[in-house]
Amino acid sequence: MDAHSCLDVASFAQAYGMPGLLEEAEDFVLRNFQEVSTSLKFLDLPADKLLDFLHSDGLCAPSELAVFRAVVVWVEANPAERLAQAQELMTGVRFQFMTFKEFREVRAINLPLKEFGFSLPENLDQCRIRRPKDALVLVGGDQLDPDLGKRLPSRQLWFANSLRTGTGLVKAMDWRILGEIPEKPRFRHGVGVMQGRLYVIGGCEFYTKTDTLKSVYRYDPMQDSWQRLADMQEYRSNFSVVVVEDYSPVSDTWSFAKPLDQALSGHAATLLDGEIFISGGFDCRYQCLTSMFLYHPERGTTYLAEMSQDRAQHCMEVLHHGGGGLCVVGGVCNLRTFYTDQLACEVYDPVSDSWRALTPLAIPHVGAASVVLEGKLYVLGGYCQEDYRETRLVHRYEPITQRWENIGKMPGPNTDIRACLLRLPAHLRQ
């Protein structure tokens, strides 16, 4: 199912009485609304079904302006018949969450505004914030303090219930507790989501070599329950889940994949089109690397163009907008015989096997978490290498404007934390 077929799948499921498939297809539309709105099938969507999508709190879009544009495109496909329906459709656009600049674009459209008849609510209590089912979840983490006795690694899971808490501009993230990791706290661990379940893997529970873990837990948000899985074959911390051992959820067993060409820690890894990309990290002498390569569990390593800047303890995520590519941000870099904060950001184009500069960070994010939500890159927490001061802020990169924006503080311990997107049922998101 993709953006061009999901509406056909939904129509098929509704016609043949398949509620499970219908829910899956409509959820796909809500999660990918902006892309779906550019398809030809979207122009044939019945007005009542479009209105259902517009009124859904689970609709995902970069802004309400994108929702408004989608309605305009739908109306302009057949204005003679659809202008009469525009007024009702515009009740599904939450104009109160637009910026003044966005609202100027609304006022500048070529269609007759009097036909739209939209109006703002009398107060913000009458409006609803969109809360997509895919929530940004933070898992575990550490806090910096020179006194080790006061440092408390975390067992907590937090999630962002809403990304907008004020009119017009993003002011802060609304964080809420989701639960706790069973038994022991964790930092420098790995997290991953597979088939709607969250896996929490390895890491450290404290600060000595014997505190490294190989245990694995799985969280099922539909049941709101945890399950202890088979241990990894090695104790691991400061690693990436897609790189190390291979786990089978069917047999609950781990097996070794082909080893890397060299030992790495503090590197970043992510998937793009089913392929594993690995950037930077420390080598066995704790030198920051500029490397970028493809890794295959059976074929091993294929080296690609190197980054222009060395880095470790950084983030790497896939962005599909604003030119797209694999973005590397934050971390530390080598400076003679010691480390310093890496503020430079780069993006890798796998088609041309080349790098280009991205807008640098304003403040350090070493050992931070990252995730892409609704087409925007979030970098969460970490610390400053220069003075070991915690970075308690969340920064978001907007590919369209190519700018970073500060959207508030972290909810708890914020170094060596991990983040992911996890679909939460409605009763947990309330």
Side-chain angles (χ1 to χ4, degrees):
M1 185 158 46
D2 58 27
H4 300 284
S5 65
C6 56
L7 291 173
D8 283 327
V9 174
S11 297
F12 175 86
Q14 187 167 19
Y16 288 92
M18 305 171 70
L21 180 59
L22 178 61
E23 181 180 5
E24 182 177 348
E26 291 186 343
D27 278 351
F28 186 94
V29 174
L30 292 172
R31 295 197 312 272
N32 302 275
F33 182 77
Q34 187 174 22
E35 187 177 359
V36 173
S37 68
T38 64
S39 68
L40 291 176
K41 189 65 179 178
F42 177 79
L43 301 179
D44 297 328
L45 198 62
D48 58 342
K49 181 54 77 174
L50 175 56
L51 188 60
D52 287 343
F53 289 136
L54 296 175
H55 279 300
S56 173
D57 291 346
L59 186 146
C60 298
S63 69
E64 288 300 311
L65 181 60
V67 180
F68 172 78
R69 288 170 176 167
V71 176
V72 172
V73 168
W74 185 89
V75 171
E76 289 180 334
N78 188 356
E81 295 183 6
R82 295 179 176 180
L83 273 174
Q85 300 167 306
Q87 178 175 346
E88 185 177 12
L89 288 172
M90 286 299 170
T91 64
V93 182
R94 302 175 186 184
F95 293 98
Q96 61 274 16
F97 292 121
M98 287 186 181
T99 65
F100 292 115
K101 182 178 179 181
E102 290 172 337
F103 201 76
R104 282 200 299 269
E105 179 175 329
V106 171
R107 303 288 299 182
I109 63 168
N110 293 323
L111 294 176
L113 281 173
K114 64 181 181 180
E115 299 288 349
F116 282 52
F118 59 83
S119 60
L120 298 180
E122 295 180 0
N123 59 70
L124 288 180
D125 292 335
Q126 295 176 260
C127 65
R128 300 186 315 280
I129 297 171
R130 300 197 191 275
R131 294 189 172 97
K133 292 182 179 179
D134 288 335
L136 195 167
V137 177
L138 298 177
V139 183
D142 189 16
Q143 60 183 22
L144 295 180
D145 194 299
D147 184 352
L148 289 180
K150 295 181 180 179
R151 293 174 70 164
L152 297 173
S154 176
R155 292 175 52 198
Q156 293 179 326
L157 276 72
W158 293 80
F159 75 100
N161 193 56
S162 171
L163 303 183
R164 291 178 178 267
T165 59
T167 305
L169 298 176
V170 175
K171 300 189 182 299
M173 303 182 79
D174 178 16
W175 293 102
R176 300 190 185 186
I177 286 286
L178 178 60
E180 291 189 339
I181 306 169
E183 295 185 5
K184 298 178 179 179
R186 295 186 187 231
F187 61 99
R188 297 181 183 173
H189 49 298
V191 299
V193 175
M194 184 163 55
Q195 298 176 348
R197 297 177 177 88
L198 169 67
Y199 291 76
V200 181
I201 305 170
C204 299
E205 62 172 306
F206 211 61
Y207 307 101
T208 68
K209 184 177 180 180
T210 58
D211 292 321
T212 304
L213 304 169
K214 63 178 180 179
S215 56
V216 181
Y217 285 89
R218 180 171 63 196
Y219 173 68
D220 184 345
M222 301 306 295
Q223 304 297 325
D224 193 19
S225 63
W226 290 89
Q227 180 182 0
R228 173 73 181 264
L229 304 177
D231 287 354
M232 293 186 291
Q233 300 188 51
E234 297 283 349
Y235 293 90
R236 298 180 187 271
S237 70
N238 209 12
F239 66 104
S240 294
V241 172
V242 293
V243 178
V244 292
E245 301 166 31
D246 182 27
Y247 174 74
S248 169
V250 176
S251 61
D252 188 25
T253 58
W254 291 87
S255 60
F256 283 111
K258 190 175 181 65
L260 300 173
D261 288 359
Q262 62 174 317
L264 290 177
S265 67
H267 51 291
T270 193
L271 288 172
L272 176 62
D273 296 330
E275 295 185 304
I276 301 171
F277 290 79
I278 302 175
S279 62
F282 298 114
D283 62 14
C284 59
R285 295 176 299 171
Y286 286 93
Q287 293 292 305
C288 299
L289 302 174
T290 59
S291 59
M292 177 72 159
F293 56 86
L294 276 173
Y295 171 79
H296 191 277
E298 297 175 355
R299 297 191 299 269
T301 302
T302 301
Y303 285 88
L304 305 171
E306 293 189 347
M307 298 180 287
S308 65
Q309 307 276 345
D310 60 283
R311 67 181 72 233
Q313 297 284 72
H314 60 290
C315 304
M316 179 167 65
E317 297 288 350
V318 179
L319 278 180
H320 294 289
H321 303 289
L326 289 154
C327 298
V328 292
V329 301
V332 296
C333 57
N334 297 316
L335 182 64
R336 296 186 293 275
T337 59
F338 51 90
Y339 303 121
T340 190
D341 297 301
Q342 177 61 277
L343 299 179
C345 303
E346 303 181 55
V347 59
Y348 175 75
D349 181 353
V351 176
S352 62
D353 187 28
S354 62
W355 293 85
R356 61 181 174 83
L358 210 62
T359 307
L361 291 166
I363 64 172
H365 283 278
V366 182
S370 64
V371 73
V372 172
L373 179 61
E374 299 179 17
K376 299 178 183 181
L377 171 60
Y378 290 77
V379 180
L380 306 104
Y383 65 94
C384 171
Q385 179 68 29
E386 295 295 321
D387 58 11
Y388 288 97
R389 173 174 41 85
E390 287 188 315
T391 303
R392 300 200 60 83
L393 299 175
V394 179
H395 281 93
R396 181 173 71 179
Y397 179 73
E398 169 56 76
I400 297 176
T401 62
Q402 299 182 19
R403 294 179 178 177
W404 291 96
E405 56 181 341
N406 174 3
I407 57 171
K409 292 185 178 181
M410 295 282 290
N414 66 331
T415 63
D416 292 314
I417 199 169
R418 299 296 180 259
C420 64
L421 295 182
L422 184 64
R423 176 169 291 195
L424 300 178
H427 70 277
L428 291 180
R429 294 185 286 119
Q430 298 303 318

